[in-house]
Amino acid sequence: MRQRVVPARNRCSPRWRVTGASRVRLLNRLCGLETEYAMRFRPNEASIHKPSKFHLYRCLVGMLRQRVLTVPAKHFKEGIFIANGGAVWFEAERPASGAGLVEGSTPECRSPHDLLVYQRAQDRMLAESASAGTVNGQLSLIKNDRDSQGNVYGAQENYEATIATGWQLWIWRTGLVAIIPILLFAWLGLLVMIACTLTYLAVVAMLYLPLRIFRLWQPPVAIFLFGKDLATGQETGNPTPAWMEPIVIWFTRLVTAPLAGALLLLVRLSGFRQIQRQLLPFLVSRSLIAGSGMVDTYGNFHLADKAPAINCVVGLGGFVADRPIFNVGHFFKTLCGEACFSIREYFDLFHQRQRLQLGLGDSNMSEVSEYLRVGTTMLVLDAIEAGQLPSVPRIRRPIRALHNICADPSLQHEIPVSSAEKIQALELQRFYFTACQRFVDRQIDVPEEANQILAIWKEALDGLQELQESDGKSLQLLGKLDWVTKKHLLDSALSDTPWPALKKIDIRYHELSSEGYFEMLKATDCVTTLVDAKEIDRAMRVPPAGTPATTRGHYIREFSQEAARFVVNWKSVIFDQGEGTKRVRLSNYGKPSVHQPAQSFPDWQEQKE
Amino acid sequence: MSAVSRQQEKVLQNQADAAPPRESSPTLLDEIMQHVLADSKCDSESYLRETDVPHGGE
């Protein structure tokens, strides 16, 4: 029998500080998912020139526009908003290289079930648009987090949460004021960079026109100078030529580095501190129930696709190759970009309720895994914010613990926690499950969904326990948890199966087409579904109730085919009426079931600019 | 009963209606497993190249 360092009862029993019933509104916070999809293109004929990813994205969006109402997004990157309040973007770290991804953002939802439905609606819309594309080949999307070269992308979660209370909130707000000089320096640097880029493009354009008239211009020269062949219009989605891209990126990092450092310091002192401390052990062990599984370059199996690439607890998400669990990059983007054009964006950062973004989490194919990922996290957040989560074990070296947990599909690995104790990831999950169950039991008005999440969570943990005790032979969770299902497929392969074939199983499991392995498994009874086709059909057209998406979707449905200049972003709807711009802010979105927003909410702020 | 309650009840009913795993259609599952194993060995390297995402994402 395995030697345990500390008796399980001592390690897993939450110590309670509160007594008596309480009234907390459970599962009632804004939440949303961002998912990056890889594009796989196979030309019909080998001779066909391979289009850029940006071109494929444009084809996909063209097909999507034929299916649902859309409007252009007013944002720093190319994108559209959909009638259900969600959005589709072209995401590229280095667009000039021809690479890139399709990114889908669900509308803001209020419950895990809604979020699951809208995520599935997004998957279906994008997959159908890809398969109906007009390019000379087959386009399909891969909903995963890592390619065969180890490049990482994938999913992010967003939850409305309290950034701080008491003196920490005071520090947060004071810090936002104190960084203004650093902010102004960053803006100045960015303005200089933009001015230099525009001057360069203007000078080159003046040279281009006469040479073009006399037909002395060659496409390769145009691509070198402009980043695109102006004659054919073959675009990469990048406004600058490829050689300029690294210069722009590094110059941007240089001038914004002081701001990045100041923001990270501020977050370390006061931003989401309580949530970070109490949620971290849960997230470190969450791969057990929500990991998608992954084969590494040595052929070893990991529980999660993205977790092995995570390298810090808090970070800006890609500023200096950081891949954090808690991503505060959206604060940084707001300060560097949006606040430069609207002072209101800056003052919005002073609110107590802010967006908590999690970079640790996989794109799931299984509905059960996806539902558990969001539902359990929301329950734990509810318990934390209600002050009713017992003292959690403090993990030493959490990133190393995360990697070690994910590298052990036998679920036996023990991670060191405070007081020289050791604990298994499954025991950590049991701790949070028990804590949440007691928290829910103590509430007066409990939504049925809370009990549903607890029931599925318990079933998953019991199944994992059985899997652990049977040395991985139990099939109870086949078709329910992604990593268990993928591992079963991989284990079925012969021992001499070459690595590319194993990796193909790993990746094609996530392909959103009839040839995708998980899609095939859906035809069997072993895959458990939680939403039905009618719910998904509706979610493709109608936004969720009681969120900013409700209002956004209303305007898109009403005006997308009328107003000549009508753009949308996450915070407002903007009309260009010729005489001026009218902006409808979405922050006062009001109560659930809004069908006539203009009548229901006469106090909407409509600003003439 | 509220619309949300009805919806949750429907979801729970769907779960309850789901047939017991594996035993109900072993032939179909086996067929799919065989297909997956055969397909994974076919053109796997070119498939991996087609799905590569240089530089990754956000």
Side-chain angles (χ1 to χ4, degrees), chain B residues 1-49:
Chain B
M1 185 184 282
S2 69
V4 174
S5 301
R6 280 197 298 276
Q7 191 182 48
Q8 298 304 331
E9 189 183 345
K10 192 168 65 179
V11 170
L12 288 170
Q13 187 62 45
N14 286 347
Q15 283 182 276
D17 291 345
R22 294 161 298 281
E23 289 81 7
S24 56
S25 59
T27 311
L28 182 56
L29 182 60
D30 288 345
E31 274 179 26
I32 290 172
M33 295 288 286
Q34 291 304 316
H35 172 82
V36 166
L37 297 179
D39 180 69
S40 67
K41 291 174 186 164
C42 177
D43 263 350
S44 53
E45 290 188 9
S46 78
Y47 182 86
L48 297 183
R49 276 195 301 276

Side-chain angles (χ1 to χ4, degrees), chain A residues 145-189:
Chain A
D145 303 272
R146 181 192 294 253
D147 69 4
S148 66
Q149 303 294 316
N151 296 303
V152 177
Y153 40 94
Q156 291 191 333
E157 297 154 56
N158 298 287
Y159 303 94
E160 184 187 22
T162 300
I163 191 161
T165 56
W167 63 271
Q168 287 183 342
L169 182 60
W170 187 86
I171 288 181
W172 170 254
R173 288 171 174 168
T174 307
L176 286 174
V177 176
I179 63 172
I180 286 178
I182 305 172
L183 183 60
L184 292 175
F185 171 77
W187 286 355
L188 185 65

Side-chain angles (χ1 to χ4, degrees), chain A residues 115-277:
Chain A
L115 192 51
L116 178 65
V117 171
Y118 280 90
Q119 175 65 46
R120 295 291 147 166
Q122 175 184 289
D123 293 346
R124 195 170 121 192
M125 272 189 286
L126 292 176
E128 288 177 355
S129 300
S131 65
T134 53
V135 286
N136 297 319
Q138 295 174 323
L139 176 63
S140 55
L141 299 180
I142 318 287
K143 186 189 175 189
N144 69 340
D145 303 272
R146 181 192 294 253
D147 69 4
S148 66
Q149 303 294 316
N151 296 303
V152 177
Y153 40 94
Q156 291 191 333
E157 297 154 56
N158 298 287
Y159 303 94
E160 184 187 22
T162 300
I163 191 161
T165 56
W167 63 271
Q168 287 183 342
L169 182 60
W170 187 86
I171 288 181
W172 170 254
R173 288 171 174 168
T174 307
L176 286 174
V177 176
I179 63 172
I180 286 178
I182 305 172
L183 183 60
L184 292 175
F185 171 77
W187 286 355
L188 185 65
L190 293 173
L191 284 173
V192 168
M193 187 190 70
I194 292 168
C196 290
T197 307
L198 291 176
T199 305
Y200 164 80
L201 290 173
V203 169
V204 175
M206 281 191 285
L207 288 170
Y208 168 79
L209 284 173
L211 291 174
R212 176 94 182 128
I213 291 167
F214 295 108
R215 301 190 177 189
L216 297 172
W217 199 264
Q218 296 297 317
V221 181
I223 291 170
F224 177 78
L225 293 176
F226 293 106
K228 56 190 164 189
D229 181 356
L230 299 183
T232 60
Q234 178 75 297
E235 290 185 280
T236 61
N238 188 38
T240 57
W243 61 267
M244 193 187 283
E245 200 172 66
I247 298 172
V248 169
I249 289 172
W250 282 105
F251 185 80
T252 304
R253 285 178 182 166
L254 192 68
V255 298
T256 57
L259 180 65
L263 179 64
L264 283 174
L265 179 65
L266 187 55
V267 170
R268 195 175 184 84
L269 289 173
S270 59
F272 296 121
R273 276 180 59 88
Q274 187 193 11
I275 287 177
Q276 280 179 37
R277 185 167 47 81

Side-chain angles (χ1 to χ4, degrees), chain A residues 489-551:
Chain A
L489 291 179
L490 290 162
D491 288 347
S492 304
L494 296 175
S495 56
D496 60 347
T497 303
W499 182 84
L502 293 175
K503 194 64 188 172
K504 185 177 177 183
I505 294 176
D506 178 359
I507 293 179
R508 202 161 207 185
Y509 176 89
H510 297 267
E511 186 170 319
L512 297 178
S513 76
S514 57
E515 296 176 341
Y517 297 157
F518 187 83
E519 293 294 328
M520 288 180 181
L521 286 174
K522 277 182 174 176
T524 68
D525 295 337
C526 74
V527 172
T528 302
T529 56
L530 300 175
V531 296
D532 60 40
K534 284 181 184 172
E535 286 180 292
I536 294 174
D537 280 342
R538 187 174 186 279
M540 287 164 67
R541 295 172 285 105
V542 182
T547 78
T550 317
T551 315

